[in-house]
Amino acid sequence: MTDQTQYGILSEVVRNTNVFIANVPKSKRKKFGQFFTTASTARFMANLFKIDFSKKNLELLDAGAGTGILGAALLDHIFKNGFKGKVHLTCYETDDEVLPVLEENLRLAKEVYGIDYTLHNENYITTQYFEVNTFMADDKEKYDYIIGNPPYLKISKDAPEAKLMPDVCHGAPNLYFLFWAMGIYNLKHEHELVYIIPRSWTSGAYFKKFRSYLFSHGVITDVHLFESRDKVFGGESVLQETIIVKVKKTTGKPENISITTSSTSDFDDFNRFIAPYDIVVSKNQLVYLVTDKSEAEVLERINRLPNTLPDIKMKMQTGIIVDFRTKEVLRDKLEDGAFPLLYSQHIRNGHVTWPLGKEGEVIKTDRTSFLQENSDLLLIKRFTAKEEKRRLQCGIFLKQRYKQFAFISTQNKVNFVKCDSPCMTYGLYVLLNSTLYDTYYRIMNGSTQVNSTEVNQMPVPDRDVIEAMGKELMHQDLTEANCNKIIDRWIN
């Protein structure tokens, strides 16, 4: 080791990275899903590890290493805290343009810390063996500590990476969770992995198989949420909701998970909440990222309820018409043989108001798959803006007000629940227009899209309770405050 050990290598690695970034256009880096971690984020991630300093040898992995920022931060953390043994760092990187920078930074690490390293200029996923290759079982658990900022890149379901990992894939996967799953596979038992990743894996059908794999092999011990989307990867304009997750490969479940938050990667307004593990990781393996006591109470309150919407035959569905693909059947004004087509714009102050004089709000077609029976509906916007106060925005549609139509249709940017009475429609509105359920959904899903699959997994009361709440609301204004008063009387 050299005298530079006390200062660490991260600052110099970041300087080398900044030179690279200045000379390579973002469009080129985006092709690899490549966004470089800031020094402060790298230090934070490295400090999450609980290093076993009694070991004589440590095997580290940074798959998708980029310029080596995360590996440098982890080495600084290990040696500044007094580790005396040998360290071997393995890096994978497929971008030939970034490779010279990574090699320079690895040579620096060897010079300063005396580490050994292996650099693979090959695909981390396709060069490994996953669960199905049990004949390689002795070779699967290679690493003591794994750190990573995996590529954020959606691939096709027929991509080589997806075909090699069928146990965790559903549909067209994203590389980030394939890297994560492979990392868990390669991690030694009772050891740790820290990744910075999008939040999208916490819920939804696309990630169900991955969540099952994760929780059958390990536990989450720490999560950090960035409250500002665009200030995590310094100047990179990444608008994914990004989180840091620490996983321990173990069969023992902890009592609590540490959930921390900050607005930016400077961590100036750092807050911590210790959440019970069973509140964060539900029995159906959804992950609820609660950040304070009030959010934990919301989860406890709703999770006691006995049903879901499909249980009570009220399943939420997504609208059926993709308007830009079906322009030939759309009309601007009503004519003989035509029917209302409901858009999110028709949701106004709790009601569905049609017509608005909007372009394409009428449909005329003989295709039965383009139409649905005129029914009492609760409509919910699928897309809202990040800055909007509410995520769940609903409107009541009553068939009696449009009894001249045998059919209607719904545009693809709305979700809907077909109800069997006006009382049930109003009752569902009480639920989904309440602060309680809006908060629950925001904890469940950090995105601005309202996913029908996720809403269908939210617990709800019995039908008679929903109907009773609806009867109360029918005589009141459709405000959030009124919904809150009603729900507080029925759901304790």
Side-chain angles (χ1 to χ4, degrees):
M1 295 188 194
T2 72
D3 292 339
Q4 190 176 340
T5 302
Q6 60 181 312
Y7 303 110
I9 62 171
L10 181 59
S11 295
E12 191 165 340
V13 169
V14 169
R15 278 195 295 273
N16 294 338
T17 302
N18 289 339
V19 172
F20 171 77
I21 290 173
N23 288 285
V24 178
K26 189 181 296 183
S27 57
K28 269 193 176 181
R29 292 184 279 110
K30 193 174 181 182
K31 185 176 70 173
F32 290 88
Q34 195 178 71
F35 302 99
F36 295 107
T37 321
T38 63
S40 56
T41 299
R43 286 192 197 95
F44 180 87
M45 291 172 66
N47 288 339
L48 287 174
F49 286 100
K50 292 181 179 177
I51 306 297
D52 182 353
F53 289 99
S54 68
K55 285 188 170 240
K56 293 182 178 179
N57 297 284
L58 292 181
E59 289 287 343
L60 313 179
L61 171 67
D62 184 357
T67 60
I69 290 174
L70 288 175
L74 182 52
L75 291 171
D76 280 357
H77 173 64
I78 288 170
F79 286 108
K80 283 182 176 181
N81 282 283
F83 184 70
K84 302 299 183 185
K86 292 290 291 179
V87 171
H88 182 268
L89 172 62
T90 300
C91 292
Y92 283 81
E93 183 52 58
T94 57
D95 181 358
D96 290 335
E97 290 208 48
V98 80
L99 219 57
V101 188
L102 177 56
E103 288 178 316
E104 179 185 354
N105 290 334
L106 288 172
R107 284 193 294 269
L108 173 67
K110 183 177 179 68
E111 177 188 332
V112 172
Y113 290 127
I115 70 160
D116 293 321
Y117 66 84
T118 303
L119 174 54
H120 296 286
N121 181 207
E122 56 191 7
N123 187 313
Y124 170 59
I125 301 296
T126 58
T127 55
Q128 305 297 304
Y129 297 92
F130 198 53
E131 293 293 322
V132 291
N133 303 90
T134 52
F135 63 89
M136 293 295 292
D138 291 342
D139 195 38
K140 71 172 185 177
E141 296 184 349
K142 306 174 182 179
Y143 303 105
D144 298 286
Y145 304 103
I146 298 175
I147 194 166
N149 173 12
Y152 302 1
L153 206 61
K154 198 166 186 178
I155 58 174
S156 75
K157 62 182 179 181
D158 298 321
E161 295 90 346
K163 285 184 173 180
L164 280 167
M165 302 181 72
D167 290 356
V168 296
C169 288
H170 173 86
N174 196 301
L175 276 179
Y176 85 80
F177 78 81
L178 298 188
F179 269 67
W180 191 6
M182 189 66 81
I184 293 167
Y185 182 66
N186 285 158
L187 190 63
K188 292 178 183 177
H189 195 64
E190 297 298 328
H191 288 72
E192 299 172 346
L193 173 152
V194 175
Y195 263 18
I196 182 167
I197 47 175
R199 179 176 171 163
S200 49
W201 63 276
T202 58
S203 60
Y206 277 100
F207 301 95
K208 184 177 181 181
K209 291 172 77 173
F210 165 71
R211 290 193 301 272
S212 176
Y213 180 82
L214 166 63
F215 294 120
S216 62
H217 290 79
V219 296
I220 296 170
T221 63
D222 299 77
V223 180
H224 183 81
L225 290 77
F226 294 100
E227 293 171 352
S228 177
R229 290 180 174 214
D230 57 349
K231 295 189 173 87
V232 179
F233 292 100
E236 292 281 17
S237 301
V238 176
L239 295 181
Q240 272 275 16
E241 188 118 5
T242 307
I243 63 177
I244 294 168
V245 180
K246 176 181 165 184
V247 169
K248 185 173 183 179
K249 190 169 184 177
T250 185
T251 54
K253 188 176 71 172
E255 287 187 19
N256 301 307
I257 293 178
S258 170
I259 299 183
T260 55
T261 59
S262 66
S263 293
T264 69
S265 59
D266 293 332
F267 303 95
D268 291 335
D269 54 349
F270 182 85
N271 288 296
R272 184 188 303 275
F273 178 64
I274 303 301
Y277 190 90
D278 289 336
I279 285 181
V280 178
V281 181
S282 69
K283 289 179 181 177
N284 59 358
Q285 297 185 329
L286 297 178
V287 178
Y288 298 87
L289 299 178
V290 293
T291 60
D292 57 38
K293 186 178 178 181
S294 65
E295 289 185 350
E297 289 170 351
V298 165
L299 290 185
E300 288 181 310
R301 189 174 168 191
I302 290 184
N303 285 340
R304 287 196 293 265
L305 297 174
N307 310 296
T308 63
L309 289 176
D311 291 338
I312 59 172
K313 313 298 185 207
M314 306 279 279
K315 183 178 180 181
M316 182 174 286
Q317 303 171 66
T318 298
I320 58 180
I321 296 296
V322 182
D323 50 333
F324 67 86
R325 292 181 185 159
T326 54
K327 289 182 178 179
E328 72 281 0
V329 300
L330 303 187
R331 304 288 186 270
D332 295 341
K333 293 184 179 180
L334 201 57
E335 57 185 80
D336 288 343
F339 303 102
L341 173 58
L342 305 178
Y343 290 76
S344 61
Q345 293 93 324
H346 290 117
I347 298 173
R348 300 277 179 100
N349 300 317
H351 293 285
V352 174
T353 303
W354 182 96
L356 292 175
K358 172 184 161 42
E359 186 177 313
E361 66 180 353
V362 174
I363 185 168
K364 185 174 183 179
T365 180
D366 294 326
R367 291 184 60 173
T368 54
S369 61
F370 281 4
L371 298 172
Q372 54 201 92
E373 182 185 359
N374 186 5
S375 310
D376 295 330
L377 301 176
L378 186 69
L379 254 62
I380 302 94
K381 291 183 181 181
R382 278 187 66 203
F383 299 96
T384 54
K386 178 68 177 175
E387 61 274 7
E388 287 189 82
K389 179 175 175 283
R390 289 191 57 85
R391 190 66 62 236
L392 300 178
Q393 299 185 24
C394 315
I396 292 169
F397 178 91
L398 298 180
K399 65 181 180 181
Q400 186 63 23
R401 293 178 183 168
Y402 300 92
K403 57 186 177 183
Q404 68 271 39
F405 301 109
F407 300 97
I408 59 164
S409 193
T410 47
Q411 195 251 2
N412 188 250
K413 290 183 181 177
V414 296
N415 293 316
F416 67 90
V417 181
K418 182 179 177 182
C419 304
D420 48 23
S421 72
C423 287
M424 287 300 293
T425 312
Y426 274 86
L428 284 183
Y429 181 89
V430 171
L431 290 180
L432 297 187
N433 195 57
S434 69
T435 304
L436 182 69
Y437 271 80
D438 192 67
T439 302
Y440 187 95
Y441 190 82
R442 284 174 179 270
I443 299 168
M444 175 193 277
N445 183 334
S447 80
T448 56
Q449 181 172 338
V450 176
N451 187 310
S452 60
T453 302
E454 292 167 345
V455 174
N456 284 327
Q457 293 173 315
M458 298 200 308
V460 298
D462 291 326
R463 286 180 62 96
D464 57 347
V465 172
I466 297 173
E467 192 169 22
M469 291 193 299
K471 285 177 180 176
E472 281 194 45
L473 185 66
M474 290 175 88
H475 308 292
Q476 302 180 37
D477 292 334
L478 302 182
T479 62
E480 185 173 348
N482 283 337
C483 292
N484 290 343
K485 289 176 184 175
I486 294 169
I487 213 167
D488 285 346
R489 283 196 289 274
W490 290 95
I491 300 176
N492 299 317

